Structures are given as structure tokens and as C-alpha cells.
Amino acid sequence: MSATRLKYFQTGSFAAGNRLVEPDQRAVQSDPQRANAITCGHRACQGCGEALGARYALDAALRATDGDLIATNATGCLEVFSTPYPESSWQVPWIHSLFGNAAAVATGVAAALKAKGNTHTRVVGQGGDGGTVDIGFACLSGMFERGDDVLYICYDNEAYMNTGVQRSAATPPAAYTTTTQAVGDQPGAAWGQGKDAALIALAHEIPYVATATIADLRDLERKVHTAMEIRGARYIHVLVTCPLGWGAASADSIKLARLAMETGIFPVWEGEHGDVVSVTKIRHRTPVEEYLKLQTRFRHLFAPVRRDDVIARIQARADRNIARFGLLEALDEDQLDEAVEVDV
Amino acid sequence: MLEQIEGSQAVARAVAACRPEVICAYPISPQTHIVEALSRQVKSGALAPCEFVNVESEYAAMSVAIGASATGARAYTATASQGLLYMTEALYNASGLGLPIVMTVANRAIGAPINIWNDHSDSMSQRDSGWIQLYVESNQEAVDVHLQAFRLAEAVSLPVMVCMDGFILTHAVERVELPEQEQVDQFLPTFVPRQQLDPEHPLTIGAMVGPEAFTEVRYLAHYKQMQALDLIPEVAGLFEQRFGRSSGGLVRRYRSDDAETIIVALGSVLGTIEDVVDELRATGERIGAVAIRTFRPWPAAEVRSALAGAGRVIVLEKALSVGIGGIVSQNVQGALAGLPASVHTAIAGLGGRPITKASLRQLFAAARAGRLGELTFVDLNHQLVDAEIQRMLSDRRSGPHAENMLRDVGVVGAGPV
């Protein structure tokens, strides 16, 4: 009997269902026996993208290391909602020290393991965008340049959500936060500010840098897995939605993360030793307006007066990402790596 | 083994003998020679297994030490002055988490104005950080107390600061008895961490703690420091038994038992004070000295007992709490509550100003004559200060004090600009 290879995607999401693939290709989360880095019962908001991203990332790291893992954590939402002691959600050895030192504490853990001749236990540092791109940036950069054997994961929800939604260096221009209010001629966060932490990480020429979103969790799992197969300093920057800070419906968390990618606002790529080596192509190019209008942090762009000028500027920024990273180039068969091939 | 050796090199040798597993280093004078020497030892393999991490700041130095200590490694770093302040947040964290890190503080002034020379402003500013603070008087004591510090830190699971005078001790070359490795191995037990990040037994360390238990956690930190009050003399006693010399402990008395006037001080200045005490004793004056060797925990009972017979206590301190005066003297006053002794604070040696025998003779003579007030700034150049105060009064835009006064004393650009 001849076989025909077909490609299956779930409508809209392009994510392949676990039931369509071989057991060994299924997602970490589909395994009823999976390791669970963060158990249920934590106090994250409904629809929290960080809780989802951290669980998938850490569970993937646990699977990749066979449970032999130590995690450090910066102060922030993730630390607060997961450890109102004695209700710790962490099933891995976990330490929180300060807001700005998660990368350095991870370096210390890695140094101690090395001194003890322990080559099997691996180290993951984690923080939000504030703890990573702002207050923790010196420690992060130091960890990178020394090549310490740490995977650092930033869960970026684009502002200081834990303290009540203040602007960080990851807040996008024009976004409302409590310190970039929607008043005046140029409402929201200023233009020409902010930093791209993933590109700066890449500039350290460390072995592995990747971006990801919670819209494509299998991609996140794969990237964590890839990172755990490499030694040295590694960085994954995950865009995680925040219903509270973004002013969005909890049910829209995944949709918003997908739109951030499909509009070109958040480019998803992988880099090695200073070079971008692969990008996730945009399959349904979507105007930024579709992304912006779902979030009250951007509502001042639509009412009382519609600010086409600002929306166009955000569109131009997304278009620049698309051009810069080649997010729209024609897909060839090999690049449909997320598709599932099934013999029928 | 007796050697003619620089203080920093001697401390590096002592720390190396304690078999640290992770050393973090960020350069700041005057502690640099210590970590330079250790970096050489690690690089050569002599200290294996030990990791030497060149960090990007003192904040990172303490943070790396925190991660290493929580993973069960014996962790060490050294700093001074601005560096100690820059790691302040991590200092409180290390003690709050109960991590037995040992750190040398090569005591140095804090700016502004920037000043690299010795005083105690840096470590005194961290007296409430939850770290045990030991002050040493000589390089021999620096060596000895570092050995004791690791044992003490690990016994009570608290971090320990060994404070030694920058330059005066760190850069002084003198004869020091260095310990043999076997002696140290016998004195310092293997580090058994009270808590450890271990995938076999996952722990959450550094969780959020609310009002329901925060006071209790803080109380335990205090309780452990009170335990240390008993343990410090015990460790010093054991050290003396094993190494045959006395170092460390809570306080040390010098010709103070029948003294009418007692000078209280910390660190290397005790040598000068004792010389003057000897001179005055030769003239029949009943004067003595008490060295505070442990400042945190505060040995209130021992201080009270050492000073109980004195009519006059002069606390000579190398730090200033602006707006009130003495720091050590406040603690001394607390220890002497209800006793008749008058307590005088003498601020001396700030920013490296030499504390000379002549200055001390003058200070003690003023005390003898009943002319010593509650707060004295030893060797203060009143003329210089008065001129600047006059400038402030006469000109709203009189400019920066430091530069104005330097111009007056002719250190830089003498004469009007």
C-alpha cells in the first residue's frame, strides 16, 4: 500500500495536536507522568502568560535534564505568586535572592557545582523583564561575557506588573503604564527608548539565544531543550502576556501572544554565537491594529480621537522587524518544520 | 611558619588554607592584593577544587557568593568602602538567608569626598546588616581570625565580616606566623550546610514571608548572633589551644583592671593607644585600654564588666554618625547604663588621618583636666572649617566644601581661581 504524506495543523493556531504525532514527539505537557516544576495552587492571575511560560520552560528543562536542575529567580510576579510560603509551587530546588541578581546567583550555583565536581546538575536563572533588562542587566551581561554555565530565561510582559504596571525598558512605545500615562500629545511610553535584550544577548556571542512566545509552546519547549543540550551562557526571551497590565481579556492571552508574532511586533528567532540562525515565519501577516485594539494599554490610540499617526508608527516598527529578520520570506517545504507529517 | 609578609598576602594564605570552594572578586582598594593572591593560587591549581569568579560588581560578588553558599560551597569574597555599600542589598540577603559566607573588609572611608584611606565608616555602616563583625588589631590576628571566622560562620549559619584596617594592615609587611595546612584542616571541620539546593531533595529558599512569620525569622537571626556571643570565645579558646596564641574573642583588656580612665577602640590603632597607655602608666596615671574585637554581636556584658571600674571612658572611633556623633560610643553607653562612668566620644583617623601618639597624649590630657566634652574631633583643623563656614555665610554660591578647603590648605591649585 502506498503512503501519502499529509500535513495537519489546527485551524488558526498552526499548532499540531498531540494526538496526531508519535508519542516521542509529543509535548512535555501531554505526558501524564511529566515532571511539574510549578504545581497548581499558585496565585497568578487568570490568564497569566508568565505562569504558563515558566511552567512550560521549566518542565522542558526538567525533562531535558532528567530532573537534575536548580533554579534561581529574580523578585517579581513569578517569585511572589509561586511562593507565599508554605505554599511553594516549586518542585525543583529553587532560590530567590534579590530583584537584580538572579543571573549572578545562578553563576554562584554553577560555580559551586563545578567546584564540587558535579557535572550533571544544570542551572536555570529566571526573571521578568524588569529583573532582567533593567535592574538585573549588569549581572546578566556579566554572566554572559564570562560564559557561565547557566540558561537564563526572561519572561517579558513588558512592564513592572508586580508593583502595579510601571514602565520598564521593555515597555513598547505608546503603551500606557502607570508611569507613562495616556495624557498629552504623545500619550503612553516615549518613542526612541527601550532595549532589545535578546539582540544584546546575541551581541555577547554566547552559544545560544532565542526568543519565543506562549502562543507556540512547543517551540518554547524545543528551544529550552536545545539550550539544555549546550554548555555555557544561554538566553531565552519569552514574550508572556499580562491580562492585568495589558488590559486584555484573560481568554485572549494566547491570541495576543500569537498576534505579537504574526504582526511582526515580536520577532521569534534563534541565534548562535552572535548570528541569527533561524526565524519563525509569519504565516498570516496581520496589521498591528488587530493586536493593539485588544489591549486597553493602547486604547488611547483609538478613542476619543483615533491616532492613525501613532498606529502607523507602530506598524512601521513591526514592518522593520519583518524586513530585518526576514519574517515573511517564502516558506519552502523544509521550513514547515512545525507541520506534522502523517502517513495515510 | 614565621614569614615576613604583607598583610594582604598573609590573609590570602589563611583563606587559602581554609579550602574555599568559590571565591568572587571585584577590585577595590585596599583589598585588591588579597584577591589577586588568591586568583594566582586558584589559577595554578594549588587550591583545587576552587572556582575563582571575576565578577562585574561587588553586588554580583555577594550574589555569586550567595548562590555558591546556598549550593553548599564554602564561599569567600573581599571588599572595602564603596564596594561594601554597593553590595549592601545582598549583604542583608546573605544574612537573612543564613548563609555562612566569609568576607574580608579592608576598612576604608566612604565618599563623598572620595578617599581611599583607612577609617571604619564602611563596616560601621553595615552594623545592622545581620553579619557578624570581627575587628582585628594586627596582621597576625587577621590571619588567625579568618580561620576562626569560617568555623564560626558555619557553626551558626551566619555570614562573618573580618574587618582589618585598609593600608595600615593590608599593606604593612611584618612578621606573621602562618598556619600549616594540617593544623587548619584539624581546626576547621568540613562544611555541612544547614540548607542546600539539591535536586535530590528540592528546597524552596528565599520565599515570600508575610507578617505571620517575619518577626520570628528576624528573631532567629538575633538568637543566632546571641549564640555567637558564646561561641566566639569558645572558638578563640580552641584556637589558642591548637595554635598556641591568643587571637579573636569578644573584647581584650590592656592594663585596664585598676584604670580610672579607659580608652575603647577597634582595630590597629590599639597599638598606638597601648604605647601611650604605657607612657602614662610610667608617670603613675591609672589608664588602660579595651579593644572591641567583636562588634556584632555586641558583647554588652563583657564591655560592661571591662569598663565597670572606670570613672571615665573615652571611645576613640574611626567613624562618624553624622547628626549624632559616635557609633561605638552609643553601644558603650548602652552597656554602661546605670554605672557612673562618663563616656566621651573622640572621632579620629577619618579618611586616613594619622592618629599620632602626640594627638592621643593631648586628648588624654584634656580628659584628665576635665576639659573633654561629650564629642571631640581629634586634630580637627578649626581654622580651615571656620574659613569655610565664613564663606558659606557670606556667599550663597560659595561652591563645594571639599575643593574650597583643599585650596585653602594648598593641596591643589593654591590661590583664587
Side-chain angles (χ1 to χ4, degrees), chain B residues 166-396:
Chain B
F167 295 111
I168 297 170
L169 292 181
T170 56
H171 288 53
V173 176
E174 57 183 11
R175 206 171 69 150
V176 175
E177 175 83 39
L178 290 164
E180 302 296 336
Q181 185 64 58
E182 306 79 61
Q183 282 180 294
V184 179
D185 288 344
Q186 281 167 18
F187 175 72
L188 184 58
T190 309
F191 173 32
V192 181
R194 190 168 283 285
Q195 52 188 339
Q196 186 171 0
L197 295 166
D198 176 7
E200 295 288 320
H201 308 281
L203 278 180
T204 291
I205 300 177
M208 180 93 171
V209 175
E212 64 280 1
F214 193 82
T215 304
E216 286 68 24
V217 176
R218 299 307 299 154
Y219 172 80
L220 270 180
H222 181 68
Y223 172 83
K224 289 199 290 181
Q225 283 227 357
M226 293 303 104
Q227 272 189 316
L229 270 185
D230 295 331
L231 199 60
I232 290 165
E234 214 174 281
V235 171
L238 185 69
F239 181 89
E240 185 170 4
Q241 197 185 324
R242 296 279 176 83
F243 293 83
R245 57 183 178 272
S246 167
S247 280
L250 298 171
V251 301
R252 185 179 61 85
R253 304 175 188 205
Y254 185 78
R255 304 184 80 167
S256 65
D257 285 352
D258 66 336
E260 167 61 23
T261 300
I262 298 181
I263 322 302
V264 175
L266 300 79
S268 62
V269 73
L270 263 304
T272 316
I273 292 171
E274 286 166 15
D275 283 354
V276 177
V277 164
D278 288 346
E279 288 173 16
L280 296 174
R281 277 276 175 185
T283 68
E285 189 167 342
R286 281 165 52 203
I287 188 167
V290 166
I292 306 290
R293 286 179 156 180
T294 299
F295 186 63
R296 286 293 179 271
W298 173 243
E302 288 70 15
V303 170
R304 186 181 175 88
S305 146
L307 302 179
R312 184 187 298 118
V313 173
I314 303 170
V315 183
L316 189 85
E317 18 192 337
K318 290 186 175 183
L320 169 65
S321 178
V322 176
I324 180 163
I327 298 169
V328 182
S329 61
Q330 290 176 53
N331 291 261
V332 169
Q333 274 164 341
L336 294 183
L339 293 178
S342 61
V343 177
H344 306 266
T345 306
I347 308 291
L350 297 187
R353 176 163 296 181
I355 302 174
T356 63
K357 281 164 63 173
S359 305
L360 292 180
R361 273 188 222 109
Q362 210 176 348
L363 179 74
F364 302 159
R368 197 165 47 238
R371 286 187 282 107
L372 196 60
E374 266 183 51
L375 177 63
T376 305
F377 288 82
V378 176
D379 291 339
L380 181 72
N381 186 334
H382 288 280
Q383 201 185 342
L384 201 58
V385 169
D386 291 346
E388 178 63 7
I389 290 170
Q390 205 47 52
R391 260 193 298 268
M392 283 162 62
L393 290 173
S394 61
D395 182 0
R396 173 66 219 167

Side-chain angles (χ1 to χ4, degrees), chain A residues 65 67-71 93 109-110 112-114 117-124 149 228 231 234, chain B residues 71 197-200:
Chain A
T65 59
D68 201 354
L69 189 74
I70 293 173
V109 174
L113 293 172
K114 197 172 171 193
N118 176 341
T119 54
H120 48 85
T121 303
R122 309 296 299 280
V123 188
V124 174
D149 191 14
M228 295 317 288
R231 293 282 175 167
R234 292 144 285 144
Chain B
T71 311
L197 295 166
D198 176 7
E200 295 288 320

